[in-house]
Amino acid sequence: MPVNLNVPAAESLFPVAGLDMGYAMAHIRKPNRKDVLVVRIAEGSSVSGVFTTNRFCAAPVQVCQANLKVGKGIRALVVNTGCANAGTGERGLADARATTAKVAELLSVQPEQVLVFSTGVILENLPMDRLLPGIEQAVAGLGQANWLDAATSIMTTDTLPKASSRKLAVGSGEITITGVSKGAGMIRPNMATMLGYLATDATIAQPVLDRWTTAMADASFNRITIDGDTSTNDSFVVIATGQSKAVNIQTGQEPEAAQVFEALKAESIKLAQAIVRDGEGATKFITIQVEQAGTEEEALKVAYAIGHSPLVKTAFFASDPNLGRILAAVGYAGIDDLEQTRIQLYLGDVYVAQNGGRHPDYREEQGQAVMNDAEITVRVQLGRGSASTMVWTTDFSHEYVTINADYRS
Amino acid sequence: MPVNLNVPAAESLFPVAGLDMGYAMAHIRKPNRKDVLVVRIAEGSSVSGVFTTNRFCAAPVQVCQANLKVGKGIRALVVNTGCANAGTGERGLADARATTAKVAELLSVQPEQVLVFSTGVILENLPMDRLLPGIEQAVAGLGQANWLDAATSIMTTDTLPKASSRKLAVGSGEITITGVSKGAGMIRPNMATMLGYLATDATIAQPVLDRWTTAMADASFNRITIDGDTSTNDSFVVIATGQSKAVNIQTGQEPEAAQVFEALKAESIKLAQAIVRDGEGATKFITIQVEQAGTEEEALKVAYAIGHSPLVKTAFFASDPNLGRILAAVGYAGIDDLEQTRIQLYLGDVYVAQNGGRHPDYREEQGQAVMNDAEITVRVQLGRGSASTMVWTTDFSHEYVTINADYRS
């Protein structure tokens, strides 16, 4: 059961002018599920992407990075689930290129103008005999799919489709921002997650969109973790079609720029948090705030040490305020000159550890009361400086083990 | 159920001349279990220790390090379970010092000649009102406990006592080596694990024993991981009582030195592996060998990335050869210039991935056959150099979640 997350209503997801979508049931891995998505992008759109830093990055990630570098203007995305096309060597690259070539041929664009994404099992080859007909079917249906179909077409172990949408009154009119994401396991993005797509009809010049995309990923997809496993296929793509004439952002210094950026960032955070809320086996949504760090990197080390600790995560699953486990994680986070006597720990509003020891007024019942909530904030102060960060994660349940012991079967 | 590990027979654990042991049931946390151990060490013994690098290291660890530094010669160890005396601030330090003072008083030695160890729940104070009488009881029984009692007295979530013993014909006679260890969760030692004690009646000068202890820890306790959580209390102590006159090692260059060192190291490895075999919820014992690394540090990064990945560990639990997850872990291990096309992956003797892609001859049934075993070796070659390492770990099961969701209750 996802934590405070529901299937979005189709009508709540506003179309973004300049994009057409189509899907197919191609039986890539399992029958009768939407598993291929094609998105056609109007000419003149800006498209930016950030990708996994996993050195075993998948063939489609390598092709995406190469095609974005070519810079001919991206005109289409194609996504399949069921097979990640990772750990597939030269054949995987050839399959990814054949996929872009097929889409390009059908849409009369060039292969370098197509981005390709795969998600699913690693170390298996793409079933091209089923994928290519699936692409034909998806292209034939272009324009008939909506954003809810798109969100559904990219699901793997997700229990529900994830999407977010809003309109923003800005400049001389309004713009639309709509996005989808997927992912529930192998989640500790390190540039972006597998997969996030965010689109707007605002006009945003390519260099601005590139900068913003990185900043948005850092504030959203790069701040979540479920199991600490950085995927081979993480990708986050932002599209600005420029079909709305409400704003025209060319430098990022325009008066409306900050408003647009903040709105895009807020939607990115919602999409990233949706992945955590639907984390494999999740029963809790946990916010880890680390404050008074010497640097942001230091704050992140501590936040991830807490967020990845199986002992901390199983204690959250049990709603057990076994909070010493959090201090242990702080201690092994890799800050060599950390002074334990300067550490403060709060669970929600409860002051648990003062100067590295149990707070004299702390009572177990107080910790228990916070632990019983579905949404919990852990706050650690390091007493080293003024840097801070925030990371979102889940607990670790029996269901996580069940899902990942059975995922391929 | 531990993986290929049984309760040792009491008579298989040879006494080490120069040591007396006593235990108590002090009800530190739970009634009717041996939870306090006192070891008296004969004058003139060499004693070395290595301890956790967790910056939240427990009060007893801080006291041990200080007392070893004083260098008056260690004459006793005192160990309690049920409470780790970590995250306890100034009061924790005072309690640890009061514990050494009590033992010193009873044995007519100085407090600085006593090492103190605690294991159990973090962020709770030691119940001194029960611990001090327990120490009196243990000291009163000195000499009546055997090594199996000692191994039992230090257990927490362990399902069985862990001990190993051998005699070694060397020099002019023979020496005895006997040790005990404990631990099943919060195991990713980073100097040593919570807790390992190894003793011999050989004569080994203090500087040699110091060097050897570090080397032995690096080859044994520092090569195991269960959940990646480095404990606040990890301690590994080696005692050489010098009661056997078979060898007299003063420099480490003696002809018999290598033989004695290798025997001590082999026992350390057995004790460390016993912790993995009894890992919380373990159903598999997994050896991770990383070869052809540029440096040993690099090899360790990769080995631990595999050994800590919840996705790899749950696949092992399911006996599912979902081996792409191993490649993903290799990819995010933090080697920035890793070339995936140089990676080879073997599961047991099966060649799974060749040059970063699925080996053309690899068949799922082969991987499945290896996965069905209780002891499995993963071998990764990085194609970067000639450094290598080995790490031992477990799978990740429902039982792990159950144990850690219920540990305190």
Side-chain angles (χ1 to χ4, degrees), chain B residues 234-251:
Chain B
D234 292 339
S235 305
F236 173 50
V237 169
V238 184
I239 305 167
T241 63
Q243 305 278 311
S244 161
K245 301 302 166 203
V247 289
N248 183 351
I249 294 168
Q250 293 296 324
T251 66

Side-chain angles (χ1 to χ4, degrees), chain A residues 54-55 57 123 229 309-311 318 320 322 325 328 331-332 335-336 338 340 358 364 398 402 404-405 408, chain B residues 54-55 57 123 229-230 309-311 314 318 320 322 325 328 331-332 336 338 340 358 364 398 402 404-405 408:
Chain A
N54 191 310
R55 294 297 302 167
C57 68
L123 209 63
D229 279 285
S309 161
L311 293 174
D320 176 8
N322 191 339
R325 293 177 177 181
Y332 68 68
I335 304 181
D336 291 341
L338 189 77
Q340 52 174 278
R358 186 183 174 116
E364 181 98 358
H398 285 293
T402 300
N404 284 297
R408 297 200 318 166
Chain B
N54 191 312
R55 294 298 301 168
C57 68
L123 207 63
D229 279 285
T230 302
S309 161
L311 292 174
T314 48
D320 177 6
N322 192 340
R325 292 177 177 179
Y332 68 68
D336 291 341
L338 188 77
Q340 52 174 277
R358 187 185 173 113
E364 181 98 357
H398 285 294
T402 300
N404 283 298
R408 299 201 315 166

Side-chain angles (χ1 to χ4, degrees), chain A residues 210-275:
Chain A
D210 289 345
R211 285 203 310 275
W212 284 12
T213 298
T214 300
M216 285 152 56
D218 277 345
S220 58
F221 294 100
N222 283 352
R223 288 296 176 273
I224 65 175
T225 185
I226 289 173
D227 43 23
D229 279 285
T230 301
S231 155
T232 48
N233 293 52
D234 293 338
S235 306
F236 174 49
V237 170
V238 184
I239 305 167
T241 64
Q243 306 275 311
S244 161
K245 299 304 165 201
V247 288
N248 184 350
I249 294 168
Q250 292 297 324
T251 65
Q253 305 304 314
E254 296 82 0
E256 307 87 358
Q259 199 185 346
V260 175
F261 173 71
E262 288 303 325
L264 287 167
K265 189 172 89 172
E267 293 302 301
S268 303
I269 290 173
K270 266 197 242 171
L271 292 172
Q273 289 188 343
I275 287 174

